[in-house]
Amino acid sequence: MDKSTARSKFLDVFPELVSDLETVTKEYGMPQDAIEWFKRNLNYNTPGGKLNRGLSVVDTYALLKGYKSFDDFEPEEYKKTAILGWAVELLQAYFLVADDMMDKSITRRGQPCWYRVDGVNEIAINDSFMLEAAIYVLLKKYFRKDSYYVDLLELFHEVTFQTELGQLLDLLTAPEDHVDLSKFSLSKHSFIVTFKTAYYSFYLPVALAMYMAGVSDEKDLKQAQDVLIPLGEYFQIQDDYLDCFGKPEDIGKIGTDILDNKCSWVINTALKICTPEQRAILDENYGRKDSAKEAKCKQIFKDLKIDQLYLEYEEKVATELRSKIANVDESRGFKGEVLTSFLNKIYKRQK
């Protein structure tokens, strides 16, 4: 299905969901100025990104049902699938609004972070809560009568908790204002990226589509998870690699992981194999807001051939994932094609 059509069709659903949420606030007797604030929060923070997570729900559902075009969807069927996608995007918006405050970030998606918008400030904390709560308002309205309604609720609650566990370990391990590389390790990095990214970015969209498509046997959900979680970890390691070694013109941004004291795969791999002399240089220069110190770290990474180690890792993990996908049991309706489509989007990406 055409990507631009898919995105346009998906975006067309969002204003109706904002209207649904507005109706609920009116039923509670909320004053109009507060309603307008909530709508502004929704529109500013939810639909502006790549929408990959939300669109993945629709794509996965279509693959499971064997649909070749949008004409195969019944109108209400597409709408419900898109609503699940938007629920994932609301979860993403909730995380980002809160995360930007914790990280004191300046911009997000080419515009000021929500808390930096005139007049918002600390109200953004409550606004992030409202973005999360909106998920459950919409699930109740559209899925309450479905047999898998409780499964959807439990899935969102579990994945939210998992993501917050990953965020907590990240904040404790690598605060931007206090550098201590002794806290870093590849095992911590694996936990952080698995819980902070992989569950909600990769497993959640697929599991939601599986529940709606009626392909929700525990064995099928485990088959999906067994590929999607390591795939999500690979995606983040790839992101870490590109931040350090990618060209800004290719990846669309200037990497800042070294300056920001990020607990990335690159620094953790370097710490595992560096000499005592190289470790001393990293201890002295990593995580400092200084381009000269950043350059010293990059030179160590170059000397250690971290870029070559990444390429070896990429081939190894891709081979392992293809093997797992080849052994997927499709007897209950799950399709390995779902997992292959995710791997193909990520393998060898440059941005």
Side-chain angles (χ1 to χ4, degrees):
M1 291 185 283
D2 179 67
K3 287 184 178 180
S4 60
T5 303
R7 182 182 174 87
S8 176
K9 191 173 177 64
F10 186 65
L11 282 166
D12 285 344
V13 176
F14 188 67
E16 187 173 347
L17 303 186
V18 174
S19 179
D20 290 334
L21 293 164
E22 180 181 11
T23 297
V24 172
T25 59
K26 286 180 177 178
E27 290 172 352
Y28 284 133
M30 197 77 163
Q32 191 60 37
D33 60 340
I35 292 173
E36 292 302 321
W37 182 285
F38 182 35
K39 288 167 61 180
R40 185 178 171 217
N41 172 22
L42 289 164
N43 285 306
Y44 192 93
N45 293 301
T46 313
K50 297 175 184 175
L51 307 179
N52 288 337
R53 294 167 183 83
L55 289 167
S56 291
V57 180
V58 180
D59 291 345
T60 300
Y61 182 83
L63 286 171
L64 290 172
K65 299 293 285 188
Y67 294 169
K68 303 300 182 186
S69 76
F70 290 112
D71 292 337
D72 294 330
F73 282 89
E74 294 294 331
E76 188 63 21
E77 180 185 28
Y78 175 80
K79 182 178 176 182
K80 290 182 72 170
T81 312
I83 289 166
L84 289 179
W86 279 115
V88 181
E89 292 296 332
L90 282 164
L91 186 67
Q92 163 83 338
Y94 156 55
F95 290 146
L96 296 184
V97 169
D99 194 49
D100 286 342
M101 291 194 74
M102 286 183 271
D103 291 346
K104 300 180 178 64
S105 298
I106 306 300
T107 61
R108 169 73 65 181
R109 297 169 175 171
Q111 60 186 4
C113 296
W114 179 240
Y115 79 96
R116 291 179 59 84
V117 172
D118 286 347
V120 177
N121 301 313
E122 282 78 12
I123 299 174
I125 298 171
N126 192 68
D127 288 337
S128 72
F129 299 157
M130 293 190 72
L131 291 167
E132 183 196 21
I135 296 167
Y136 301 100
V137 174
L138 295 172
L139 291 180
K140 181 179 179 181
K141 176 176 174 62
Y142 288 99
F143 295 92
R144 190 179 187 184
K145 295 180 180 178
D146 290 302
S147 60
Y148 52 91
Y149 175 57
V150 172
D151 294 316
L152 299 181
L153 297 178
E154 290 185 345
L155 181 61
F156 269 103
H157 284 308
E158 181 176 23
V159 169
T160 300
F161 184 56
Q162 289 166 327
T163 307
E164 289 160 352
L165 289 174
Q167 173 73 342
L168 174 60
L169 186 57
D170 193 15
L171 291 167
L172 293 175
T173 302
E176 208 170 320
D177 58 352
H178 180 70
V179 182
D180 182 359
L181 297 185
S182 67
K183 290 184 176 182
F184 285 25
S185 69
L186 281 170
S187 61
K188 275 189 178 179
H189 176 267
S190 180
F191 185 96
I192 289 168
V193 302
T194 294
F195 281 78
K196 185 178 176 180
T197 301
Y199 277 108
Y200 94 92
S201 296
F202 288 84
Y203 178 65
L204 176 61
V206 172
L208 290 171
M210 290 173 70
Y211 279 122
M212 186 170 163
V215 184
S216 55
D217 186 278
E218 283 298 322
K219 292 180 180 177
D220 286 324
L221 290 165
K222 187 176 188 305
Q223 285 191 114
Q225 185 167 313
D226 286 348
V227 171
L228 291 165
I229 297 307
L231 186 67
E233 183 175 8
Y234 163 39
F235 174 84
Q236 186 58 54
I237 288 173
Q238 192 176 54
D239 226 39
D240 293 349
Y241 162 78
L242 290 172
D243 185 276
C244 184
F245 294 98
K247 297 178 181 178
E249 61 267 26
D250 292 335
I251 64 175
K253 64 178 181 179
I254 297 172
T256 61
D257 283 359
I258 296 172
L259 296 171
D260 294 342
N261 190 37
K262 293 295 184 182
C263 181
S264 82
W265 179 86
V266 174
I267 180 63
N268 280 295
T269 300
L271 292 173
K272 188 175 181 181
I273 62 174
C274 65
T275 65
E277 292 77 17
Q278 290 170 324
R279 173 60 186 260
I281 293 171
L282 291 173
D283 279 329
E284 186 178 336
N285 293 280
Y286 193 81
R288 273 66 173 188
K289 305 291 187 183
D290 184 318
S291 59
K293 291 179 182 291
E294 178 190 34
K296 290 182 181 180
C297 294
K298 284 194 172 184
Q299 185 60 51
I300 296 290
F301 299 154
K302 184 178 179 180
D303 293 342
L304 292 170
K305 296 182 170 59
I306 300 296
D307 53 344
Q308 183 59 43
L309 291 175
Y310 167 76
L311 295 176
E312 293 170 6
Y313 159 79
E314 182 170 48
E315 292 308 315
K316 179 175 180 288
V317 73
T319 299
E320 291 171 352
L321 290 171
R322 288 192 189 103
S323 177
K324 285 184 178 182
I325 293 169
N327 290 310
V328 164
D329 177 7
E330 299 186 347
S331 62
R332 290 173 299 273
F334 187 62
K335 297 180 181 179
E337 185 183 0
V338 169
L339 305 173
T340 299
S341 69
F342 272 83
L343 178 57
N344 289 343
K345 289 175 187 175
I346 294 167
Y347 180 62
K348 295 290 186 182
R349 75 182 173 99
Q350 296 299 315
K351 60 182 180 179

